[in-house]
Amino acid sequence: MTETTDTQPGWFSAEELQSIRGRMPVLYVQAVPVRVDEAGMVTHIGLLMRADESGDFNRSVVSGRVLYHERIRDALLRHLEKDLGPVALPRIPASLQPFTVAEYFPTPGITPFHDPRQHAVAMAYVVPVTGDCQPRQDALDLVWLTPEEAAREDMTGGQGALVRQALAHVGQVP
């Protein structure tokens, strides 16, 4: 996670964030970037490659915290730009109804979603992108997989289940 200065409102120091994560759920947004054809059918799903704290490489969707006093739409745009680059050209849905709300627990097995750092609640969206995507920040790579390939991806923390839920939401049940 990147450190920020006190000049950015809504950010916490590493120590403050660790304390908060240990005492209350944290709100996140998650975006499953997709490419669609002219009929609006999903043709590809974009998955990021990241290195975790132990140095292992994992695929993931776009994800990040919602800042204090930040609109959900703005949080989605900020994280999509942060991870996919400034010319990804995401098309945020007019209605901000998530396709699911994923509850991440530090204890495995409560839900399909697990985050050892915290109890987090994530609103998840399928977001078509039409521009050139260049992974940035802590994303090392971006790969576009067919829906069939993406459905078979085994991702940490239950994000594979999230991708399969996204596919079901867009009518492509794996």
Side-chain angles (χ1 to χ4, degrees), residues 22-50:
R23 298 178 10 204
M24 63 187 301
V26 178
L27 180 61
Y28 280 74
V29 290
Q30 292 187 299
V32 179
V34 298
R35 299 277 193 203
V36 296
D37 64 16
E38 22 331 298
M41 295 296 295
V42 172
T43 60
H44 292 87
I45 301 201
L47 297 177
L48 298 165
M49 177 67 73
R50 298 183 193 274

Side-chain angles (χ1 to χ4, degrees), residues 3-4 6 10-23 26:
E3 294 298 321
T4 60
D6 290 341
W11 288 96
F12 298 104
S13 69
E15 296 79 25
E16 290 171 320
L17 183 59
Q18 183 176 0
S19 174
I20 290 167
R21 283 178 166 161
R23 298 178 10 204
V26 178

Side-chain angles (χ1 to χ4, degrees), residues 142-164:
L142 172 71
V143 64
W144 291 99
L145 302 175
T146 66
E148 296 79 20
E149 293 169 331
R152 290 191 302 268
E153 276 293 310
D154 184 31
M155 300 162 58
T156 62
Q159 288 194 19
L162 187 77
V163 168
R164 288 184 289 281

Side-chain angles (χ1 to χ4, degrees), residues 103-114:
E103 296 179 275
Y104 289 81
F105 285 89
T107 306
I110 296 174
T111 69
F113 309 105
H114 173 250

Side-chain angles (χ1 to χ4, degrees), residues 71-147:
R71 296 177 337 152
I72 299 300
R73 180 176 303 283
D74 295 336
L76 274 169
L77 286 169
R78 180 171 56 84
H79 289 293
L80 285 159
E81 180 177 326
K82 175 183 69 89
D83 286 344
L84 302 180
V87 292
L89 304 177
R91 294 189 328 231
I92 304 296
S95 167
L96 283 178
Q97 178 75 33
F99 72 84
T100 195
V101 175
E103 296 179 275
Y104 289 81
F105 285 89
T107 306
I110 296 174
T111 69
F113 309 105
H114 173 250
D115 185 337
R117 304 169 302 163
Q118 65 190 336
H119 176 189
V121 176
M123 296 183 297
Y125 301 88
V126 174
V127 180
V129 293
T130 58
D132 182 33
C133 297
Q134 298 295 322
R136 300 174 4 147
Q137 299 288 341
D138 64 343
L140 304 173
D141 189 22
L142 172 71
V143 64
W144 291 99
L145 302 175
T146 66

